């Protein structure tokens, strides 16, 4: 996850569904359902977005993760500091909990950390005493705000992330921290009644660097499930354009950065049960401008900008309109938009790529879907595609 990745770049277009060509395609109607056939549908919502959480359509959503809580003095806290110009407010949590009147099975968690607020993790995890302090603060936060659990988004153990403190001990300390948080949540649950259970989940990176710097096989023992951030493969660090959430590897292995299949495979090999894994689906795109595309080779070219985040609602009306054409990469199984006049490239998610990912997760026996983030798709076009896919049976083709 990111706490400030979504750049509000206003471009106009209309969402259409097409199999494999650059021609305009027919609109596909999606429907929602409260029945997900046992699959999880985890929605991240950003407290720093200008969005009224009472307007969330929680139909079919099983979990909502509020982004973000912070770490101060080694403790998990609700921080009202501004992110992207907006103060966070605990009133948002009250609005999210109130959604249970419409969806009684809905679980509300707060996500601690994120790209900007992961700086306190390494110190909080460093010693047995610091881990105990942090774990108790997590349990207190759950109790104070009447939540169903805690989600930890450490970006990233033994990696600098956004200039964060990190150390080699993070690899083992992350496991010990999660064990301690699990114990504190369980202790609180036992005190309240034997039927009570509080959730503990994490968001994980989708590359080998993350897997190498965590003990996922041990970590998963303390977790209810894991949300893999299977996006940002090409991102705001890259001045070369490419897919940011492709299902399969690209046909150009020298340029391919990652894929959903690679990320899931790494987690499984590390010892995480398939049922504990949720695929991350981005409700935002990545946009590159000034792309130097030559000889009709649109992908993997130098650009004048890096791949900045852009909300789906801010570019969806440009699909096969306003100089943009939708293309489909059959090998990577991912769509993209290209405007040759403006030399602008957008990597994004659509109904076709979502359907393929959900079919894959069903075939692999994965737990469900996580998406970032609700306000980026407030018209629910992508959300409806996810809900419909989770309801449908997996294809046998």
């Amino acid at each position: 996850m990111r706490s400030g990745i979504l750049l509000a770049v206003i471009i106009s277009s209309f969402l259409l569904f097409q199999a494999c060509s650059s021609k305009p395609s027919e609109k596909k109607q999606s429907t929602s359902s409260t029945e997900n056939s046992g699959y999880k549908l985890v929605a991240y919502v950003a407290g720093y977005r200008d969005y009224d959480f009472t307007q969330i359509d929680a139909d079919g959503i099983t979990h909502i993760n509020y982004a973000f809580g912070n770490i101060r003095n080694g403790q998990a806290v609700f921080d009202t500091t501004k992110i992207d110009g907006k103060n966070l407010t605990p009133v948002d949590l009250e609005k999210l909990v109130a959604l249970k009147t419409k969806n009684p099975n809905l679980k509300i968690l707060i996500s601690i950390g994120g790209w900007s607020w992961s700086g306190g993790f390494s110190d909080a995890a460093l010693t047995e005493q610091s881990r105990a302090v942090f774990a108790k603060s997590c349990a207190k936060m759950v109790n104070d705000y009447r939540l169903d659990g805690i989600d930890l988004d450490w970006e990233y153990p033994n990696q600098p992330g956004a200039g964060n403190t990190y150390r080699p001990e993070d690899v083992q300390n992350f496991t010990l921290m999660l064990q301690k948080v699990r114990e504190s949540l369980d202790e609180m649950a036992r005190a309240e009644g034997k039927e009570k259970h509080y959730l503990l989940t994490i968001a994980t990176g989708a590359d080998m660097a993350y897997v190498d710097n965590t003990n996922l096989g041990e970590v998963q023992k303390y977790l209810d499930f894991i949300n893999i951030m299977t996006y940002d493969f090409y991102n705001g660090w890259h001045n070369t354009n490419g897919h940011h959430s492709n299902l399969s590897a690209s046909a150009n292995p020298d340029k391919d950065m990652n894929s959903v299949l690679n990320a899931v495979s790494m987690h499984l090999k590390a010892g995480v049960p398939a049922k504990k894994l949720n695929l991350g689906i981005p409700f935002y795109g990545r946009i590159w401008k000034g792309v130097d595309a030559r000889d009709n080779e649109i992908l993997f070219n130098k650009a004048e900008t890096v791949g900045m985040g852009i909300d789906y609602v801010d570019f969806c009306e440009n699909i096969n309109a306003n100089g943009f054409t939708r293309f489909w990469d059959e090998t990577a199984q991912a769509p993209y938009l290209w405007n040759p006049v403006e030399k602008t490239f957008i990597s994004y998610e659509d109904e076709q790529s979502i359907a393929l990912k959900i079919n894959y997760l069903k075939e692999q026996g994965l737990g469900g879907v996580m998406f970032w983030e609700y306000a980026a798709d407030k018209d629910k076009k992508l959300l409806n595609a996810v809900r419909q896919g989770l309801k449908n049976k997996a294809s046998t083709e």
Side-chain angles (χ1 to χ4, degrees), residues 106-147:
L106 180 64
K107 304 297 183 184
I108 307 298
L109 299 84
I110 187 167
S111 183
I112 308 298
W115 184 247
S116 297
W117 282 359
S118 285
F121 272 117
S122 186
D123 288 343
L126 187 57
T127 68
E128 183 176 354
Q129 181 180 4
S130 65
R131 292 189 290 269
V133 169
F134 178 77
K136 288 180 180 179
S137 71
C138 287
K140 184 179 186 299
M141 178 174 283
V142 169
N143 181 69
D144 288 349
Y145 295 105
R146 299 184 297 124
L147 305 175

mmCIF file of all heavy atoms in Angstrom, residues 106-147:
data_model
loop_
_atom_site.group_PDB
_atom_site.id
_atom_site.type_symbol
_atom_site.label_atom_id
_atom_site.label_comp_id
_atom_site.label_asym_id
_atom_site.label_seq_id
_atom_site.Cartn_x
_atom_site.Cartn_y
_atom_site.Cartn_z
ATOM 1 N N LEU A 106 -19.620 -7.947 8.151
ATOM 2 C CA LEU A 106 -18.479 -7.129 7.786
ATOM 3 C C LEU A 106 -17.515 -6.982 8.962
ATOM 4 O O LEU A 106 -17.924 -6.786 10.108
ATOM 5 C CB LEU A 106 -18.959 -5.735 7.355
ATOM 6 C CG LEU A 106 -17.906 -4.716 6.932
ATOM 7 C CD1 LEU A 106 -17.179 -5.165 5.678
ATOM 8 C CD2 LEU A 106 -18.565 -3.343 6.716
ATOM 9 N N LYS A 107 -16.207 -7.098 8.680
ATOM 10 C CA LYS A 107 -15.176 -6.921 9.682
ATOM 11 C C LYS A 107 -14.397 -5.632 9.379
ATOM 12 O O LYS A 107 -14.023 -5.386 8.232
ATOM 13 C CB LYS A 107 -14.200 -8.098 9.689
ATOM 14 C CG LYS A 107 -14.863 -9.460 9.890
ATOM 15 C CD LYS A 107 -15.561 -9.581 11.230
ATOM 16 C CE LYS A 107 -16.148 -10.965 11.420
ATOM 17 N NZ LYS A 107 -16.926 -11.071 12.692
ATOM 18 N N ILE A 108 -14.150 -4.843 10.440
ATOM 19 C CA ILE A 108 -13.438 -3.581 10.289
ATOM 20 C C ILE A 108 -12.100 -3.671 11.005
ATOM 21 O O ILE A 108 -12.029 -3.995 12.199
ATOM 22 C CB ILE A 108 -14.249 -2.398 10.867
ATOM 23 C CG1 ILE A 108 -15.662 -2.364 10.275
ATOM 24 C CG2 ILE A 108 -13.520 -1.084 10.612
ATOM 25 C CD1 ILE A 108 -15.712 -2.153 8.779
ATOM 26 N N LEU A 109 -11.025 -3.386 10.267
ATOM 27 C CA LEU A 109 -9.672 -3.396 10.832
ATOM 28 C C LEU A 109 -9.011 -2.047 10.565
ATOM 29 O O LEU A 109 -9.435 -1.305 9.667
ATOM 30 C CB LEU A 109 -8.807 -4.496 10.215
ATOM 31 C CG LEU A 109 -9.242 -5.954 10.378
ATOM 32 C CD1 LEU A 109 -10.261 -6.359 9.312
ATOM 33 C CD2 LEU A 109 -8.031 -6.886 10.293
ATOM 34 N N ILE A 110 -7.991 -1.737 11.331
ATOM 35 C CA ILE A 110 -7.171 -0.574 11.025
ATOM 36 C C ILE A 110 -5.799 -1.071 10.599
ATOM 37 O O ILE A 110 -5.241 -1.996 11.197
ATOM 38 C CB ILE A 110 -7.064 0.399 12.220
ATOM 39 C CG1 ILE A 110 -6.338 1.678 11.781
ATOM 40 C CG2 ILE A 110 -6.397 -0.244 13.427
ATOM 41 C CD1 ILE A 110 -6.458 2.819 12.784
ATOM 42 N N SER A 111 -5.284 -0.503 9.525
ATOM 43 C CA SER A 111 -3.979 -0.881 8.996
ATOM 44 C C SER A 111 -2.926 0.074 9.543
ATOM 45 O O SER A 111 -3.047 1.293 9.407
ATOM 46 C CB SER A 111 -4.003 -0.844 7.465
ATOM 47 O OG SER A 111 -2.779 -1.281 6.932
ATOM 48 N N ILE A 112 -1.917 -0.495 10.166
ATOM 49 C CA ILE A 112 -0.847 0.303 10.758
ATOM 50 C C ILE A 112 0.338 0.352 9.795
ATOM 51 O O ILE A 112 0.807 -0.677 9.317
ATOM 52 C CB ILE A 112 -0.367 -0.304 12.092
ATOM 53 C CG1 ILE A 112 -1.545 -0.551 13.033
ATOM 54 C CG2 ILE A 112 0.672 0.591 12.749
ATOM 55 C CD1 ILE A 112 -2.296 0.684 13.422
ATOM 56 N N GLY A 113 0.813 1.548 9.503
ATOM 57 C CA GLY A 113 2.022 1.688 8.700
ATOM 58 C C GLY A 113 1.787 2.324 7.347
ATOM 59 O O GLY A 113 1.434 3.484 7.234
ATOM 60 N N GLY A 114 1.979 1.541 6.288
ATOM 61 C CA GLY A 114 1.926 2.094 4.942
ATOM 62 C C GLY A 114 3.266 2.680 4.544
ATOM 63 O O GLY A 114 4.240 2.690 5.315
ATOM 64 N N TRP A 115 3.337 3.173 3.331
ATOM 65 C CA TRP A 115 4.605 3.655 2.790
ATOM 66 C C TRP A 115 5.226 4.758 3.646
ATOM 67 O O TRP A 115 6.418 4.753 3.936
ATOM 68 C CB TRP A 115 4.378 4.152 1.365
ATOM 69 C CG TRP A 115 5.621 4.600 0.661
ATOM 70 C CD1 TRP A 115 5.941 5.873 0.282
ATOM 71 C CD2 TRP A 115 6.720 3.780 0.241
ATOM 72 N NE1 TRP A 115 7.158 5.898 -0.349
ATOM 73 C CE2 TRP A 115 7.663 4.621 -0.400
ATOM 74 C CE3 TRP A 115 6.985 2.414 0.322
ATOM 75 C CZ2 TRP A 115 8.854 4.146 -0.930
ATOM 76 C CZ3 TRP A 115 8.180 1.947 -0.210
ATOM 77 C CH2 TRP A 115 9.091 2.805 -0.823
ATOM 78 N N SER A 116 4.412 5.715 4.086
ATOM 79 C CA SER A 116 4.943 6.868 4.815
ATOM 80 C C SER A 116 5.076 6.640 6.314
ATOM 81 O O SER A 116 5.898 7.290 6.966
ATOM 82 C CB SER A 116 4.043 8.091 4.581
ATOM 83 O OG SER A 116 4.038 8.467 3.226
ATOM 84 N N TRP A 117 4.283 5.729 6.872
ATOM 85 C CA TRP A 117 4.230 5.582 8.325
ATOM 86 C C TRP A 117 4.794 4.240 8.803
ATOM 87 O O TRP A 117 4.380 3.732 9.848
ATOM 88 C CB TRP A 117 2.790 5.766 8.813
ATOM 89 C CG TRP A 117 2.384 7.219 8.870
ATOM 90 C CD1 TRP A 117 3.150 8.299 8.567
ATOM 91 C CD2 TRP A 117 1.108 7.730 9.251
ATOM 92 N NE1 TRP A 117 2.438 9.461 8.732
ATOM 93 C CE2 TRP A 117 1.181 9.147 9.144
ATOM 94 C CE3 TRP A 117 -0.088 7.152 9.655
ATOM 95 C CZ2 TRP A 117 0.106 9.971 9.451
ATOM 96 C CZ3 TRP A 117 -1.167 7.973 9.964
ATOM 97 C CH2 TRP A 117 -1.076 9.372 9.863
ATOM 98 N N SER A 118 5.734 3.669 8.061
ATOM 99 C CA SER A 118 6.376 2.427 8.502
ATOM 100 C C SER A 118 7.680 2.672 9.249
ATOM 101 O O SER A 118 8.372 1.721 9.615
ATOM 102 C CB SER A 118 6.650 1.520 7.286
ATOM 103 O OG SER A 118 5.456 0.910 6.827
ATOM 104 N N GLY A 119 8.015 3.928 9.481
ATOM 105 C CA GLY A 119 9.303 4.257 10.076
ATOM 106 C C GLY A 119 9.503 3.752 11.490
ATOM 107 O O GLY A 119 10.641 3.599 11.942
ATOM 108 N N GLY A 120 8.418 3.471 12.226
ATOM 109 C CA GLY A 120 8.550 3.051 13.611
ATOM 110 C C GLY A 120 8.573 1.562 13.832
ATOM 111 O O GLY A 120 8.755 1.100 14.972
ATOM 112 N N PHE A 121 8.397 0.780 12.788
ATOM 113 C CA PHE A 121 8.292 -0.671 12.952
ATOM 114 C C PHE A 121 9.575 -1.307 13.482
ATOM 115 O O PHE A 121 9.547 -2.138 14.389
ATOM 116 C CB PHE A 121 7.914 -1.332 11.624
ATOM 117 C CG PHE A 121 6.439 -1.424 11.385
ATOM 118 C CD1 PHE A 121 5.861 -0.752 10.318
ATOM 119 C CD2 PHE A 121 5.628 -2.190 12.198
ATOM 120 C CE1 PHE A 121 4.490 -0.837 10.080
ATOM 121 C CE2 PHE A 121 4.271 -2.289 11.973
ATOM 122 C CZ PHE A 121 3.695 -1.605 10.906
ATOM 123 N N SER A 122 10.705 -0.967 12.889
ATOM 124 C CA SER A 122 11.949 -1.638 13.252
ATOM 125 C C SER A 122 12.271 -1.455 14.732
ATOM 126 O O SER A 122 12.653 -2.407 15.424
ATOM 127 C CB SER A 122 13.108 -1.122 12.389
ATOM 128 O OG SER A 122 14.285 -1.864 12.627
ATOM 129 N N ASP A 123 12.106 -0.230 15.247
ATOM 130 C CA ASP A 123 12.359 0.017 16.664
ATOM 131 C C ASP A 123 11.330 -0.695 17.545
ATOM 132 O O ASP A 123 11.674 -1.247 18.597
ATOM 133 C CB ASP A 123 12.333 1.516 16.957
ATOM 134 C CG ASP A 123 13.547 2.243 16.405
ATOM 135 O OD1 ASP A 123 14.558 1.574 16.091
ATOM 136 O OD2 ASP A 123 13.482 3.477 16.275
ATOM 137 N N ALA A 124 10.067 -0.677 17.125
ATOM 138 C CA ALA A 124 9.018 -1.319 17.919
ATOM 139 C C ALA A 124 9.209 -2.828 17.996
ATOM 140 O O ALA A 124 8.800 -3.471 18.969
ATOM 141 C CB ALA A 124 7.646 -0.998 17.328
ATOM 142 N N ALA A 125 9.828 -3.407 16.975
ATOM 143 C CA ALA A 125 10.018 -4.862 16.932
ATOM 144 C C ALA A 125 11.351 -5.303 17.534
ATOM 145 O O ALA A 125 11.616 -6.499 17.634
ATOM 146 C CB ALA A 125 9.932 -5.349 15.485
ATOM 147 N N LEU A 126 12.180 -4.370 17.972
ATOM 148 C CA LEU A 126 13.583 -4.656 18.254
ATOM 149 C C LEU A 126 13.826 -5.573 19.456
ATOM 150 O O LEU A 126 14.657 -6.473 19.399
ATOM 151 C CB LEU A 126 14.341 -3.347 18.457
ATOM 152 C CG LEU A 126 15.852 -3.446 18.598
ATOM 153 C CD1 LEU A 126 16.484 -4.127 17.391
ATOM 154 C CD2 LEU A 126 16.443 -2.045 18.790
ATOM 155 N N THR A 127 13.100 -5.372 20.549
ATOM 156 C CA THR A 127 13.345 -6.139 21.768
ATOM 157 C C THR A 127 12.056 -6.789 22.254
ATOM 158 O O THR A 127 10.949 -6.421 21.829
ATOM 159 C CB THR A 127 13.891 -5.246 22.889
ATOM 160 O OG1 THR A 127 12.862 -4.324 23.308
ATOM 161 C CG2 THR A 127 15.118 -4.480 22.429
ATOM 162 N N GLU A 128 12.210 -7.727 23.178
ATOM 163 C CA GLU A 128 11.027 -8.375 23.756
ATOM 164 C C GLU A 128 10.142 -7.347 24.442
ATOM 165 O O GLU A 128 8.912 -7.396 24.333
ATOM 166 C CB GLU A 128 11.464 -9.446 24.748
ATOM 167 C CG GLU A 128 10.310 -10.237 25.347
ATOM 168 C CD GLU A 128 10.769 -11.353 26.254
ATOM 169 O OE1 GLU A 128 11.993 -11.586 26.336
ATOM 170 O OE2 GLU A 128 9.905 -11.987 26.898
ATOM 171 N N GLN A 129 10.756 -6.404 25.134
ATOM 172 C CA GLN A 129 9.985 -5.374 25.821
ATOM 173 C C GLN A 129 9.262 -4.459 24.836
ATOM 174 O O GLN A 129 8.079 -4.147 25.009
ATOM 175 C CB GLN A 129 10.894 -4.534 26.720
ATOM 176 C CG GLN A 129 10.158 -3.446 27.495
ATOM 177 C CD GLN A 129 11.093 -2.625 28.378
ATOM 178 O OE1 GLN A 129 12.308 -2.832 28.358
ATOM 179 N NE2 GLN A 129 10.533 -1.710 29.156
ATOM 180 N N SER A 130 9.958 -4.018 23.782
ATOM 181 C CA SER A 130 9.325 -3.122 22.805
ATOM 182 C C SER A 130 8.206 -3.826 22.058
ATOM 183 O O SER A 130 7.175 -3.219 21.743
ATOM 184 C CB SER A 130 10.365 -2.576 21.823
ATOM 185 O OG SER A 130 10.924 -3.599 21.013
ATOM 186 N N ARG A 131 8.381 -5.107 21.798
ATOM 187 C CA ARG A 131 7.319 -5.864 21.118
ATOM 188 C C ARG A 131 6.088 -5.989 22.011
ATOM 189 O O ARG A 131 4.949 -5.921 21.512
ATOM 190 C CB ARG A 131 7.832 -7.239 20.700
ATOM 191 C CG ARG A 131 8.874 -7.206 19.598
ATOM 192 C CD ARG A 131 9.189 -8.589 19.058
ATOM 193 N NE ARG A 131 9.911 -9.420 20.016
ATOM 194 C CZ ARG A 131 11.233 -9.494 20.115
ATOM 195 N NH1 ARG A 131 12.008 -8.759 19.319
ATOM 196 N NH2 ARG A 131 11.822 -10.302 21.000
ATOM 197 N N ALA A 132 6.306 -6.184 23.291
ATOM 198 C CA ALA A 132 5.180 -6.295 24.220
ATOM 199 C C ALA A 132 4.408 -4.978 24.295
ATOM 200 O O ALA A 132 3.167 -4.974 24.321
ATOM 201 C CB ALA A 132 5.685 -6.692 25.604
ATOM 202 N N VAL A 133 5.130 -3.853 24.331
ATOM 203 C CA VAL A 133 4.480 -2.539 24.361
ATOM 204 C C VAL A 133 3.649 -2.328 23.102
ATOM 205 O O VAL A 133 2.493 -1.879 23.158
ATOM 206 C CB VAL A 133 5.536 -1.426 24.508
ATOM 207 C CG1 VAL A 133 4.912 -0.046 24.270
ATOM 208 C CG2 VAL A 133 6.189 -1.496 25.888
ATOM 209 N N PHE A 134 4.245 -2.643 21.956
ATOM 210 C CA PHE A 134 3.535 -2.468 20.692
ATOM 211 C C PHE A 134 2.298 -3.362 20.633
ATOM 212 O O PHE A 134 1.214 -2.927 20.226
ATOM 213 C CB PHE A 134 4.455 -2.775 19.509
ATOM 214 C CG PHE A 134 3.792 -2.656 18.170
ATOM 215 C CD1 PHE A 134 3.549 -1.413 17.602
ATOM 216 C CD2 PHE A 134 3.386 -3.794 17.474
ATOM 217 C CE1 PHE A 134 2.917 -1.304 16.367
ATOM 218 C CE2 PHE A 134 2.765 -3.692 16.249
ATOM 219 C CZ PHE A 134 2.518 -2.438 15.691
ATOM 220 N N ALA A 135 2.436 -4.612 21.031
ATOM 221 C CA ALA A 135 1.322 -5.558 20.965
ATOM 222 C C ALA A 135 0.147 -5.103 21.837
ATOM 223 O O ALA A 135 -1.014 -5.172 21.426
ATOM 224 C CB ALA A 135 1.795 -6.943 21.390
ATOM 225 N N LYS A 136 0.454 -4.623 23.039
ATOM 226 C CA LYS A 136 -0.614 -4.148 23.923
ATOM 227 C C LYS A 136 -1.309 -2.929 23.328
ATOM 228 O O LYS A 136 -2.524 -2.767 23.476
ATOM 229 C CB LYS A 136 -0.039 -3.826 25.302
ATOM 230 C CG LYS A 136 0.361 -5.061 26.100
ATOM 231 C CD LYS A 136 0.930 -4.683 27.455
ATOM 232 C CE LYS A 136 1.333 -5.934 28.240
ATOM 233 N NZ LYS A 136 1.921 -5.592 29.567
ATOM 234 N N SER A 137 -0.543 -2.077 22.653
ATOM 235 C CA SER A 137 -1.149 -0.889 22.036
ATOM 236 C C SER A 137 -2.074 -1.273 20.884
ATOM 237 O O SER A 137 -3.086 -0.615 20.653
ATOM 238 C CB SER A 137 -0.064 0.074 21.552
ATOM 239 O OG SER A 137 0.631 -0.425 20.418
ATOM 240 N N CYS A 138 -1.719 -2.346 20.165
ATOM 241 C CA CYS A 138 -2.596 -2.830 19.090
ATOM 242 C C CYS A 138 -3.922 -3.323 19.665
ATOM 243 O O CYS A 138 -4.998 -3.015 19.133
ATOM 244 C CB CYS A 138 -1.909 -3.951 18.321
ATOM 245 S SG CYS A 138 -0.563 -3.417 17.245
ATOM 246 N N ALA A 139 -3.841 -4.116 20.735
ATOM 247 C CA ALA A 139 -5.051 -4.620 21.368
ATOM 248 C C ALA A 139 -5.894 -3.469 21.907
ATOM 249 O O ALA A 139 -7.128 -3.470 21.791
ATOM 250 C CB ALA A 139 -4.694 -5.590 22.481
ATOM 251 N N LYS A 140 -5.240 -2.476 22.493
ATOM 252 C CA LYS A 140 -5.968 -1.319 23.014
ATOM 253 C C LYS A 140 -6.674 -0.563 21.906
ATOM 254 O O LYS A 140 -7.825 -0.114 22.059
ATOM 255 C CB LYS A 140 -5.005 -0.387 23.755
ATOM 256 C CG LYS A 140 -5.693 0.807 24.420
ATOM 257 C CD LYS A 140 -4.687 1.662 25.160
ATOM 258 C CE LYS A 140 -5.386 2.778 25.946
ATOM 259 N NZ LYS A 140 -6.154 3.683 25.057
ATOM 260 N N MET A 141 -5.999 -0.412 20.770
ATOM 261 C CA MET A 141 -6.625 0.293 19.651
ATOM 262 C C MET A 141 -7.863 -0.449 19.157
ATOM 263 O O MET A 141 -8.909 0.167 18.884
ATOM 264 C CB MET A 141 -5.622 0.469 18.505
ATOM 265 C CG MET A 141 -6.196 1.138 17.280
ATOM 266 S SD MET A 141 -4.952 1.492 16.012
ATOM 267 C CE MET A 141 -4.161 2.940 16.718
ATOM 268 N N VAL A 142 -7.782 -1.745 19.060
ATOM 269 C CA VAL A 142 -8.937 -2.546 18.647
ATOM 270 C C VAL A 142 -10.089 -2.351 19.625
ATOM 271 O O VAL A 142 -11.245 -2.170 19.226
ATOM 272 C CB VAL A 142 -8.555 -4.039 18.558
ATOM 273 C CG1 VAL A 142 -9.795 -4.911 18.407
ATOM 274 C CG2 VAL A 142 -7.607 -4.269 17.392
ATOM 275 N N ASN A 143 -9.768 -2.369 20.900
ATOM 276 C CA ASN A 143 -10.802 -2.220 21.924
ATOM 277 C C ASN A 143 -11.393 -0.806 21.925
ATOM 278 O O ASN A 143 -12.620 -0.634 21.994
ATOM 279 C CB ASN A 143 -10.204 -2.537 23.291
ATOM 280 C CG ASN A 143 -11.216 -2.425 24.407
ATOM 281 O OD1 ASN A 143 -12.141 -3.224 24.521
ATOM 282 N ND2 ASN A 143 -11.045 -1.420 25.258
ATOM 283 N N ASP A 144 -10.534 0.199 21.841
ATOM 284 C CA ASP A 144 -10.999 1.585 21.925
ATOM 285 C C ASP A 144 -11.943 1.955 20.796
ATOM 286 O O ASP A 144 -12.900 2.718 20.994
ATOM 287 C CB ASP A 144 -9.797 2.540 21.910
ATOM 288 C CG ASP A 144 -8.999 2.521 23.195
ATOM 289 O OD1 ASP A 144 -9.482 1.928 24.187
ATOM 290 O OD2 ASP A 144 -7.882 3.086 23.214
ATOM 291 N N TYR A 145 -11.687 1.422 19.600
ATOM 292 C CA TYR A 145 -12.472 1.828 18.434
ATOM 293 C C TYR A 145 -13.466 0.752 17.983
ATOM 294 O O TYR A 145 -14.050 0.852 16.907
ATOM 295 C CB TYR A 145 -11.541 2.212 17.285
ATOM 296 C CG TYR A 145 -10.710 3.427 17.596
ATOM 297 C CD1 TYR A 145 -9.357 3.305 17.903
ATOM 298 C CD2 TYR A 145 -11.276 4.694 17.614
ATOM 299 C CE1 TYR A 145 -8.583 4.415 18.210
ATOM 300 C CE2 TYR A 145 -10.521 5.815 17.918
ATOM 301 C CZ TYR A 145 -9.174 5.675 18.212
ATOM 302 O OH TYR A 145 -8.427 6.790 18.516
ATOM 303 N N ARG A 146 -13.639 -0.274 18.833
ATOM 304 C CA ARG A 146 -14.612 -1.352 18.572
ATOM 305 C C ARG A 146 -14.350 -2.020 17.210
ATOM 306 O O ARG A 146 -15.255 -2.277 16.429
ATOM 307 C CB ARG A 146 -16.050 -0.815 18.642
ATOM 308 C CG ARG A 146 -16.420 -0.235 19.979
ATOM 309 C CD ARG A 146 -17.866 0.202 20.051
ATOM 310 N NE ARG A 146 -18.152 1.262 19.101
ATOM 311 C CZ ARG A 146 -19.099 1.186 18.181
ATOM 312 N NH1 ARG A 146 -19.836 0.084 18.068
ATOM 313 N NH2 ARG A 146 -19.318 2.190 17.358
ATOM 314 N N LEU A 147 -13.082 -2.328 16.954
ATOM 315 C CA LEU A 147 -12.680 -2.933 15.698
ATOM 316 C C LEU A 147 -12.645 -4.454 15.802
ATOM 317 O O LEU A 147 -12.761 -5.024 16.881
ATOM 318 C CB LEU A 147 -11.309 -2.404 15.292
ATOM 319 C CG LEU A 147 -11.182 -0.875 15.192
ATOM 320 C CD1 LEU A 147 -9.749 -0.469 14.895
ATOM 321 C CD2 LEU A 147 -12.139 -0.312 14.153
#
